[in-house]
Amino acid sequence: MTGPLVFEDVHIRFGSGSRATWAVRGVDLEVPPGSVVGLVGESGSGKSSLAKAAVGLVPVASGRIELGGVDQSGRTLRRRRVQMVFQDPYSSLDPRMTIGESISEALPRGIRRAERRTEVARVLELVDIDPWRATSLPGDLSGGQRQRIALARALAARPDVVIADEITSALDVSVQGSVLNLVRDIQRELDLAVLLISHNLAVVRYVSDVIAVMRSGRIVEFGGGDEVLERPEHPYTQLLLESVPRIGSALGPSDHATRRE
Amino acid sequence: MAGASLYGQADVPDAPDVPGAPAGGGLPYGLDRLSNPWTRFLTRRLARLLVSVFVVVTATFLMIHLIPGDPVRAALGLTAPADLVESRRESLGLNEPLITQYVSYLGGLFTGDLGTSMISGTPVSEIIADRLPQTALLGSLAFLTAVAIAVPLGLAMALLTRDGRRRGVELGFTSTAAVMSAIPEFLLGVALVAVFAVSLGWFPVAGMSGASSFVLPVLALALGPAMALARILRVEALRVLGEDYVRTARAKRLPRRLVYRRHVFPNALTSMLTIGGLVLGAMLIGTVLVENVFAWPGLGMTIVESILQKDYPLVQGVVLVYGTSVLFLNLAVDVVLGIADPRSTIRES
């Protein structure tokens, strides 16, 4: 393990001049080796922008994102230590490439063809997919299976950190649990660092060791899972927890208004 | 790192060759051959081709019978003696019942007999064999030129103008492409002749005489479709560039050229291939007008001459060749599409 993934005073901006929008405003966050950090917040709070910056998809306006002292925000990195799994399992796999080809592409360079095949099969087994599925196209798989493939592809790169961005939100409830269990099991087996992004507090609580709450591009609360979710200090975290719908509870006035719309 | 052994060596069964099926399955008595997506795909496509060819053959046969009046009288002229007309009708078999003529026409096709020209008395198959290579060469070169222009241009424009960048370049390209693809090929041919043959004298005005004589007719045929294809390819490439799997590939820090080569180009080209097949068919038909502008000794010239001379057996033969050529081109495109994108064969089968 090369050390923690460190976000230091990270600012991310979209657009320029008078049209500039600040998606992330001075975030400091650390994802220690072998731990799961949950990142929660409403849509547009900057969670995904922060994650994309860590894999070089979004430029950082200022600040640093480092893993073991190596800047991760550039696009020129050869070794891919931070891997990301995206929300939509239906569109994140190239429909023309077989599952095996997609996973093989993520393997580190310099591995021979025969070894690649073995590696692909092993990574598939790791995510509970039969290795013969390597020759299938993504269209032959269910959403849950595709998300497992996406996870396998991330693991194939032998990362130190996996960023899981809303990986269960496009799946139906019956599949969400199995994917989360898989993430948790793999994280423990491989001693990975995971940054789990979700707007679903239950999902984050289930898997994470520590939780960071993000609002309007800033982290407003950070602490252990129980601490943040049972004794929230920041009013936004309290509001977030109050907004969680509960079976059997009465709808508030705002819910009625939404329904009428 | 704890658990790193999972990345080590392990015994894992090899994946079977048949996609989507576990090893050891399969149907007995060779029926598993039909379970191969490619076999089902080709069987279905060939069956469809046979039906289409049958329709084209029947339509070309009926063509001569649907012309108002007597086609022989029309070909020989109003002043032709009645006994000459009658003997020609007899020799062409037009006095036989329609069904007999149809059976005889089909039988002739199987032996390569497309009838005899009413004007020259030469077998139609001989005339076609003489003229077809020139048209095929012109059409093939034009198609290759169109693809050679459209693919780099369309992809370059997509990369230059993605995410709303370089609005001026986008406007210039889309406007030019729209105008170029709207100009009919014969008009473009006349303009090319006026500028590059008559005014500048760089190329021959007409005829097939050496490599330089190919330039203007090929450009006249290729430029419009090339610009239309480039526009379509740009839009397709822009769509693919925005796909999640391209973003994922970039997040994996694949070198940019690999992202384009493995993900963007193949997915964008697959869509273009379908349209390319239609363009190729249209280009083949376009040779009729372009060959006449450039006095190109091909089938296009032949069909116009035979229509003017009311040489119906020849018209019939050339139309049949054009029609079946388009059908076979479509089949070829489908097969290429199946190779380029395995999903299409699976969907079709």
Side-chain angles (χ1 to χ4, degrees):
Chain A
M1 183 59 75
T2 49
L5 176 66
V6 178
F7 296 84
E8 195 178 298
D9 195 25
V10 174
H11 287 76
I12 297 169
R13 182 188 61 204
F14 293 110
S16 57
S18 59
R19 290 183 176 180
T21 307
W22 290 92
V24 176
R25 306 158 188 247
V27 163
D28 291 295
L29 181 68
E30 187 175 311
V31 185
S35 71
V36 181
V37 175
L39 187 58
V40 289
E42 62 194 3
S43 297
S45 58
K47 311 181 297 284
S48 293
S49 299
L50 195 66
K52 285 176 185 170
V55 292
L57 280 179
V58 168
V60 173
S62 67
R64 291 185 310 136
I65 303 174
E66 286 186 357
L67 180 67
V70 179
D71 181 30
Q72 298 294 312
S73 56
R75 277 205 41 82
T76 51
L77 280 176
R78 290 194 117 197
R79 174 86 161 83
R80 298 162 283 189
R81 293 182 188 282
V82 181
Q83 288 293 316
M84 189 162 170
V85 182
F86 291 94
Q87 176 179 0
D88 189 350
Y90 294 93
S91 58
S92 66
L93 295 166
D94 189 332
R96 289 183 67 260
M97 289 175 99
T98 63
I99 302 309
E101 286 167 344
S102 279
I103 295 173
S104 177
E105 186 181 67
L107 289 169
R109 288 165 217 178
I111 298 179
R112 282 180 304 160
R113 197 173 170 173
E115 285 176 43
R116 281 181 173 271
R117 210 174 167 193
T118 314
E119 282 288 319
V120 168
R122 185 171 32 262
V123 178
L124 282 173
E125 283 195 330
L126 202 60
V127 295
D128 295 336
I129 299 276
D130 279 328
W132 64 263
R133 279 288 192 185
T135 52
S136 301
L137 290 167
D140 301 331
L141 305 175
S142 68
Q145 285 174 318
R146 287 190 208 189
Q147 201 57 297
R148 285 165 187 268
I149 301 295
L151 190 58
R153 190 174 49 180
L155 295 174
R158 301 179 187 180
D160 294 324
V161 182
V162 170
I163 299 177
D165 186 6
E166 303 275 12
I167 59 168
T168 55
S169 56
L171 305 174
D172 62 61
V173 180
S174 61
V175 184
Q176 285 184 5
S178 66
V179 171
L180 282 176
N181 283 336
L182 180 69
V183 169
R184 198 178 55 181
D185 294 346
I186 287 174
Q187 186 271 329
R188 286 175 184 165
E189 278 187 76
L190 304 182
D191 199 26
L192 281 171
V194 174
L195 178 61
L196 184 80
I197 297 171
S198 180
H199 61 268
N200 187 332
L201 291 169
V203 165
V204 172
R205 183 176 197 172
Y206 184 63
V207 186
S208 308
D209 303 316
V210 288
I211 294 175
V213 182
M214 209 168 165
R215 188 194 188 192
S216 305
R218 292 189 177 91
I219 288 182
V220 294
E221 189 154 0
F222 182 84
D226 293 343
E227 185 188 334
V228 170
L229 297 180
E230 287 175 15
R231 293 178 298 282
E233 287 180 4
H234 195 277
Y236 175 67
T237 313
Q238 292 164 2
L239 186 71
L240 213 58
L241 285 165
E242 284 166 15
S243 313
V244 176
R246 290 176 182 83
I247 294 171
S249 63
L251 291 172
S254 60
D255 297 319
H256 285 297
T258 310
R259 280 192 151 192
R260 277 196 296 275
E261 281 166 17
Chain B
M1 183 165 119
S5 60
L6 283 159
Y7 287 138
Q9 296 297 310
D11 289 323
V12 176
D14 282 345
D17 293 326
V18 180
L27 298 166
Y29 311 117
L31 286 175
D32 54 342
R33 268 192 211 164
L34 279 176
S35 69
N36 184 317
W38 263 103
T39 311
R40 290 201 301 272
F41 169 73
L42 286 175
T43 308
R44 189 172 288 217
R45 271 281 181 266
L46 285 171
R48 199 182 294 175
L49 177 76
L50 279 178
V51 172
S52 304
V53 168
F54 175 74
V55 170
V56 169
V57 166
T58 308
T60 50
F61 166 76
L62 289 174
M63 194 172 71
I64 202 165
H65 299 279
L66 292 175
I67 295 164
D70 182 356
V72 178
R73 168 64 69 188
L76 297 180
L78 293 172
T79 55
D83 54 342
L84 177 63
V85 172
E86 191 49 39
S87 73
R88 190 57 63 88
R89 283 187 63 83
E90 192 68 39
S91 67
L92 289 170
L94 292 176
N95 292 332
E96 301 287 335
L98 199 62
I99 189 70
T100 313
Q101 289 182 49
Y102 185 54
V103 171
S104 159
Y105 180 68
L106 288 179
L109 288 183
F110 280 109
T111 56
D113 178 13
L114 294 172
T116 308
S117 163
M118 284 203 280
I119 305 299
S120 65
T122 315
V124 170
S125 53
E126 266 183 36
I127 299 172
I128 289 174
D130 185 45
R131 298 291 187 106
L132 181 62
Q134 286 82 268
T135 298
L137 188 60
L138 180 63
S140 308
L141 284 174
F143 181 69
L144 290 176
T145 306
V147 171
I149 294 171
V151 172
L153 184 62
L155 292 173
M157 283 298 138
L159 295 178
L160 282 173
T161 61
R162 70 181 155 158
D163 303 328
R165 296 176 202 167
R166 298 181 184 88
R167 296 269 184 205
V169 174
E170 182 188 353
L171 185 67
F173 168 72
T174 49
S175 312
T176 311
V179 170
M180 288 298 293
S181 52
I183 299 174
E185 50 272 85
F186 69 91
L187 210 58
L188 188 60
V190 172
L192 288 171
V193 167
V195 176
F196 295 103
V198 177
S199 299
L200 298 171
W202 291 355
F203 303 105
V205 173
M208 185 178 163
S209 53
S212 63
S213 64
F214 280 85
V215 176
L216 295 184
V218 164
L219 284 179
L221 263 177
L223 281 180
M227 297 310 274
L229 280 177
R231 278 180 76 187
I232 293 162
L233 185 57
R234 175 183 161 269
V235 173
E236 270 304 305
L238 285 175
R239 180 186 63 75
V240 175
L241 280 167
E243 291 284 354
D244 283 356
Y245 54 83
V246 172
R247 181 195 59 185
T248 309
R250 286 168 55 213
K252 305 239 158 287
R253 303 194 190 266
L254 274 188
R256 195 168 290 183
R257 62 186 164 76
L258 277 185
V259 174
Y260 295 152
R261 201 177 74 201
R262 285 189 192 158
H263 299 281
V264 179
F265 295 168
N267 280 292
L269 287 174
T270 302
S271 312
M272 205 197 85
L273 206 56
T274 315
I275 300 152
L278 298 173
V279 167
L280 183 57
M283 209 175 255
L284 193 67
I285 306 304
T287 57
V288 173
L289 294 172
V290 169
E291 282 187 9
N292 280 279
V293 170
F294 291 94
W296 194 261
L299 278 185
M301 278 276 282
T302 308
I303 195 170
V304 172
E305 283 167 5
S306 57
I307 288 170
L308 292 174
Q309 293 170 338
K310 298 185 175 63
D311 190 349
Y312 294 113
L314 189 51
V315 175
Q316 209 174 25
V318 177
V319 168
L320 185 64
V321 169
Y322 268 112
T324 47
S325 300
V326 171
L327 292 177
F328 275 96
L329 278 175
N330 285 340
L331 176 72
V333 168
D334 285 343
V335 171
V336 174
L337 196 61
I339 294 166
D341 182 7
R343 288 173 301 159
S344 65
T345 53
I346 292 164
R347 270 199 304 269
E348 277 293 320
S349 57

